[in-house]
Amino acid sequence: MELKQSFGNQLRILTNSIRHASHMQNRDALNQDITMLQMGILGHLMKHQGRPVFQKDIEEHIEIGRSTLSEVINVMEKNDLLKRVPSKADGRYRELVMTDRGREIGGRFAKGAERFNEQLCAGISDDELKICLDIIERMTENVKNIRGTN
């Protein structure tokens, strides 16, 4: 039992450390009044460029509530980071599309994230990373089961 308690605590410490280190590494972009949540949204849009992305996709990816995300997207639209455009497939839906400014900032963030992940995983083999990711994915499913969202 002690091992499982220790693991959860270490995971919490690691999560907080990653959040802090990532924030510090991206402070130049954050000085432009962009939050880490907004960076995550831009990152998701960059990863899925060329494919339609809707607010619901972001909600599921980031696991954030609809109203909170809607407020964040409104701010991002106001700050010229993204825009909502009618879907080509179904005009009733609005796709989230990055603006030129959003792509420029998102590109800088992506380069920083790649560098950060390289540093984070230094000295860890691909096999070890695969095992770790498998465990994290299973724990994520366990948390969803606990929350009743699975």
Side-chain angles (χ1 to χ4, degrees), residues 1-15:
M1 185 67 149
E2 188 175 315
L3 180 62
K4 290 179 182 177
Q5 289 174 341
S6 176
F7 187 85
N9 190 46
Q10 283 300 123
L11 198 54
R12 187 173 26 264
I13 291 168
L14 175 62
T15 300

Side-chain angles (χ1 to χ4, degrees), residues 14-15 17-19 21-22 25 112-124 129 136:
L14 175 62
T15 300
S17 296
I18 289 171
R19 183 178 298 120
S22 177
Q25 190 173 44
E114 185 177 327
R115 187 174 55 250
F116 180 82
N117 285 326
E118 287 294 325
Q119 293 170 333
L120 181 67
C121 297
I124 303 170
L129 286 172
I136 290 171

Side-chain angles (χ1 to χ4, degrees), residues 100-140:
D100 289 341
R101 180 172 185 259
R103 270 189 295 283
E104 187 262 323
I105 292 170
R108 280 192 288 152
F109 174 72
K111 287 177 186 168
E114 185 177 327
R115 187 174 55 250
F116 180 82
N117 285 326
E118 287 294 325
Q119 293 170 333
L120 181 67
C121 297
I124 303 170
S125 72
D126 286 350
D127 288 339
E128 290 171 318
L129 286 172
K130 286 176 188 175
I131 291 168
C132 185
L133 285 173
D134 179 59
I135 291 168
I136 290 171
E137 287 171 3
R138 285 189 278 164
M139 287 182 154
T140 300

Side-chain angles (χ1 to χ4, degrees), residues 32-34 38 69-84 96-97 99 101-102:
Q32 298 181 37
D33 295 327
I34 297 170
Q38 292 171 346
L69 181 58
S70 185
E71 289 175 27
V72 171
I73 289 172
N74 287 340
V75 169
M76 291 178 76
E77 236 179 343
K78 181 180 167 222
N79 292 336
D80 192 36
L81 296 172
L82 59 75
K83 58 186 175 180
R84 294 176 174 112
L96 300 177
V97 178
T99 61
R101 180 172 185 259

